[in-house]
């Protein structure tokens, strides 16, 4: 089969495929919806894992996957419904033909109105066909728009963290190159958005097109628009496509609003309320979390009702914790911060540095235990934390507190930390309050 688009045989083949494309659309929509419904729970699970383990890059990736799944499920379901309606209309046309308004025997007023508003049955079928084909194409186009927005946000974040706030680049280069580059990207983002919502206004005028072209050229790579640009312009070269393209952005906003809706059962309480002395949130009890996703992103104890002679306290690791430890013990701050993405392909074992690293780890934990501490009711309790991880692999700090001095009934565990104010005076912050009941076996 020749792929020369100027070849008449190739054009004839495309026309034939156009006529039969509805079969492929239904096949792809059916399999895609089945796969998306099956995969969605796994995507949410991996997203929760990324949040719990502090993997920001993984969290961004699965956020994009999650949004893409929602968009595709919603739009492809609409496509299947409309295609089903279109097939039903074709079958009805085979049986009944066109609409015979005279056979309906309505009054002249209603007959004229229906002929004007409802019109030909063939026109109705043609309109359904147009909507089905456009919705199918737009479903995947919306995914590319999500990727484009993600790439722009990632680019802005990369410039801010790796150029402007860089520790290894000269300051004159970081500011002199990073700031103009950031302004170019932000201004270009605004121009690209304006050009999108005005359907190409900046490309029509001679002076605006000259000014906008450098931004357009750069953003064609940042937003990956070179992959889907022909589809966009095919939308915009006819009236029906332009009207539908104008709906894409409101639809995108509508998706975001629709999936952010929730029902409030009370004026005072919700399932999102953090634990305190009169509220218990399931996110602070390990046995309840295990029933959900198994990933911990909060301070937890083993259960709401403590029967053992100990309380297990687990604090998930976060970069904020490490930054605070550095502020209290500046000798722990490395010359090169290796937090972030890493690769296991190249592994270098430096045995001479292992002993020094072990002493630094001990100093790290010692500082953590000085900065963070635990209270039960009004009494500070001894809690020597060590580094550990959960069954699901969440890295954190773990300690076990004796319950020998506790009376039966309700108690409040409070996890606190020390901090420094602007005058370098020590202040104390309450990070989490977790109510529990002690009823030993």
């Amino acid at each position: 089969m020749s792929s020369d688009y100027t070849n008449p045989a190739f054009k004839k083949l495309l026309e034939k495929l156009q006529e039969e494309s509805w079969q492929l659309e239904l096949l792809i929509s059916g399999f895609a919806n089945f796969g998306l419904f099956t995969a969605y729970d796994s995507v949410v699970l991996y997203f929760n894992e990324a949040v719990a383990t502090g993997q920001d890059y993984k969290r961004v990736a699965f956020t994009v996957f999650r949004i893409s799944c929602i968009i595709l499920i919603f739009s492809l379901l609409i496509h299947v419904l409309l295609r089903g309606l279109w097939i039903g209309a074709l079958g009805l046309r085979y049986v009944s033909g066109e609409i015979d308004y005279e056979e309906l025997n309505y009054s002249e007023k209603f007959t004229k109105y229906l002929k004007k508003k409802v019109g030909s049955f063939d026109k109705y079928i043609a309109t359904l066909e147009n909507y089905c084909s456009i919705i199918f194409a737009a479903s995947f186009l919306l995914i590319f728009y999500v990727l484009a927005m993600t790439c722009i946000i990632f680019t802005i974040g990369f410039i801010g963290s790796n150029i402007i706030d860089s520790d290894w680049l000269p300051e004159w280069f970081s500011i002199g190159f990073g700031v103009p580059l950031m302004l170019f990207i932000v201004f270009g983002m605004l121009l690209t958005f304006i050009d999108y919502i005005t359907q190409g206004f900046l490309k029509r005028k001679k002076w605006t097109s000259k000014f906008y072209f450098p931004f357009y050229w750069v953003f064609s790579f940042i937003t990956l628009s070179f992959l889907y640009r022909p589809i966009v312009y095919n939308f915009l070269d006819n009236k029906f496509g332009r009207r539908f393209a104008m709906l894409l952005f409101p639809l995108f906003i509508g998706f975001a609003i629709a999936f952010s809706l929730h029902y409030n059962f009370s004026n005072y309480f919700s399932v999102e309320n953090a634990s305190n002395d009169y509220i218990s949130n399931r996110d602070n009890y390990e046995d309840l979390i295990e029933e959900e996703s198994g990933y911990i992103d909060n301070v937890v104890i083993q259960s709401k009702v403590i029967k053992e002679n100990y309380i297990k306290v687990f604090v998930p690791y976060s970069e904020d914790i490490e930054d605070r430890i550095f502020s209290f013990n500046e000798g722990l701050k490395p010359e090169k911060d290796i937090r972030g993405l890493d690769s296991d392909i190249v592994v270098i074992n430096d045995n001479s540095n292992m002993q020094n690293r072990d002493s630094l780890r001990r100093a790290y934990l010692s500082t953590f235990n000085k900065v963070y501490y635990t209270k039960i009711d009004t009494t500070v309790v001894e809690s020597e934390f060590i580094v550990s991880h959960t069954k699901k692999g969440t890295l954190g700090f773990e300690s076990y507190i004796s319950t020998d001095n506790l009376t039966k009934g309700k108690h409040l565990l409070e996890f606190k930390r020390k901090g420094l104010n602007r005058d370098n005076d020590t202040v104390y912050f309450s990070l989490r309050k977790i109510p529990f009941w002690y009823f030993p076996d």
Side-chain angles (χ1 to χ4, degrees):
M1 182 183 70
S2 173
S3 59
D4 180 9
Y5 67 92
T6 60
N7 190 325
F10 184 71
K11 291 182 179 292
K12 188 176 180 180
L13 175 65
L14 288 180
E15 290 174 359
K16 183 180 179 181
L17 289 174
Q18 282 177 205
E19 295 175 0
E20 299 176 355
S21 65
W22 66 271
Q23 300 174 36
L24 292 174
E25 288 177 17
L26 275 178
L27 187 67
I28 293 172
S29 291
F31 277 108
N33 271 321
F34 175 78
L36 290 167
F37 275 113
T38 304
Y40 185 74
D41 288 340
S42 297
V43 171
V44 173
L45 189 65
Y46 283 120
F47 172 79
N48 292 335
E49 177 193 2
V51 172
T53 55
Q55 301 178 62
D56 291 335
Y57 292 99
K58 192 174 180 180
R59 181 174 62 182
V60 170
F62 280 101
T63 298
V64 174
F65 291 155
R66 191 176 181 179
I67 294 172
S68 300
C69 283
I70 291 170
I71 290 173
L72 281 177
I73 287 171
F74 185 80
S75 56
L76 291 181
L77 277 177
I78 293 176
H79 171 261
V80 170
L81 289 173
L82 288 180
R83 269 298 173 196
L85 185 62
W86 177 77
I87 292 171
L90 283 177
L92 183 62
R93 186 183 184 280
Y94 174 76
V95 174
S96 183
E98 265 286 359
I99 301 174
D100 189 349
Y101 291 101
E102 304 302 328
E103 184 66 22
L104 295 173
N105 198 27
Y106 291 159
S107 67
E108 183 179 354
K109 180 178 180 64
F110 268 97
T111 300
K112 287 182 178 180
Y113 178 82
L114 291 175
K115 283 183 177 180
K116 181 180 179 181
K117 293 297 181 180
V118 177
S120 166
F121 195 64
D122 288 352
K123 180 183 177 182
Y124 172 72
I125 293 174
T127 302
L128 279 177
E129 165 68 20
N130 289 337
Y131 274 112
C132 290
S133 296
I134 284 182
I135 288 173
F136 186 78
S139 301
F140 297 95
L141 185 60
L142 278 172
I143 304 305
F144 280 105
Y145 283 160
V146 172
L147 288 175
M149 291 174 63
T150 304
C151 289
I152 291 173
I153 294 171
F154 179 79
T155 301
I156 292 173
F158 180 84
I159 294 171
S161 60
N162 292 279
I163 298 179
I164 296 177
D165 292 335
S166 174
D167 293 330
W168 56 276
L169 288 174
E171 186 177 355
W172 64 267
F173 184 83
S174 298
I175 303 300
F177 177 74
V179 172
L181 182 60
M182 178 68 81
L183 291 174
F184 179 87
I185 296 298
V186 172
F187 192 56
M189 176 182 67
L190 295 174
L191 289 177
T192 302
F193 178 72
I194 292 170
D195 189 63
Y196 166 74
I197 61 174
T198 58
Q199 296 187 348
F201 173 79
L202 297 179
K203 302 188 192 81
R204 295 193 188 104
K205 304 295 181 181
K206 186 176 181 180
W207 68 274
T208 56
S209 62
K210 288 183 178 179
F211 176 76
Y212 176 57
F213 183 78
F215 296 97
Y216 174 82
W217 186 83
V218 171
F219 273 78
S220 68
F221 293 98
I222 294 177
T223 62
L224 307 178
S225 66
F226 58 89
L227 295 174
Y228 54 89
R229 190 181 293 154
I231 297 177
V232 175
Y233 291 137
N234 211 321
F235 265 114
L236 299 178
D237 68 354
N238 65 83
K239 187 176 181 180
F240 184 79
R242 285 194 296 272
R243 287 180 176 177
F244 191 85
M246 283 296 293
L247 291 175
L248 288 181
F249 185 71
L251 281 174
F252 190 82
I253 300 298
F255 287 146
I257 294 173
F259 284 94
S260 68
L261 296 175
H262 62 275
Y263 188 83
N264 289 323
F265 293 95
S266 170
N267 288 296
Y268 300 98
F269 302 104
S270 79
V271 294
E272 303 300 328
N273 290 142
S275 292
N276 54 39
D277 56 338
Y278 60 89
I279 295 175
S280 67
N281 190 303
R282 66 182 178 184
D283 290 343
N284 298 116
Y285 306 99
E286 190 172 11
D287 59 342
L288 297 181
I289 295 175
E290 291 291 342
E291 296 175 6
E292 298 297 321
S293 66
Y295 296 106
I296 296 171
D297 61 353
N298 215 323
V299 180
V300 297
I301 60 177
Q302 72 265 38
S303 179
K304 193 178 293 187
V305 178
I306 303 297
K307 300 178 181 180
E308 301 84 2
N309 58 358
Y310 63 86
I311 300 173
K312 173 188 174 183
V313 182
F314 182 84
V315 182
Y317 166 82
S318 72
E319 292 190 12
D320 288 339
I321 288 177
E322 189 153 298
D323 290 336
R324 292 189 186 103
I325 289 174
F326 290 163
S327 68
F328 273 87
N329 190 341
E330 294 184 359
L332 290 171
K333 189 172 184 179
E335 293 182 5
K336 182 180 180 182
D337 196 329
I338 62 172
R339 289 178 292 183
L341 288 178
D342 198 5
S343 173
D344 294 328
I345 295 176
V346 180
V347 179
I348 300 175
N349 292 321
D350 187 0
N351 294 325
S352 62
N353 195 39
M354 290 300 293
Q355 186 174 357
N356 182 49
R357 180 176 289 273
D358 184 64
S359 64
L360 288 173
R361 285 171 174 167
R362 292 177 183 275
Y364 187 107
L365 269 177
S366 177
T367 306
F368 178 88
N369 282 291
K370 291 176 182 176
V371 175
Y372 294 89
Y373 63 98
T374 308
K375 289 176 66 177
I376 293 182
D377 299 327
T378 59
T379 306
V380 176
V381 294
E382 184 178 349
S383 54
E384 185 176 352
F385 286 90
I386 65 170
V387 174
S388 180
H389 57 82
T390 64
K391 290 188 292 185
K392 291 287 187 178
T394 304
L395 182 67
F397 305 88
E398 184 176 275
S399 183
Y400 290 81
I401 300 171
S402 173
T403 58
D404 290 344
N405 297 324
L406 292 183
T407 59
K408 291 183 180 180
K410 179 178 176 291
H411 296 275
L412 182 69
L413 183 143
E414 186 175 9
F415 186 70
K416 305 188 72 173
R417 74 170 176 87
K418 298 176 183 178
L420 298 174
N421 60 18
R422 293 180 180 178
D423 299 325
N424 282 331
D425 296 325
T426 302
V427 292
Y428 300 89
F429 299 94
S430 177
L431 302 181
R432 189 62 59 202
K433 293 180 178 180
I434 306 174
F436 68 92
W437 284 259
Y438 178 55
F439 292 109
D441 292 332

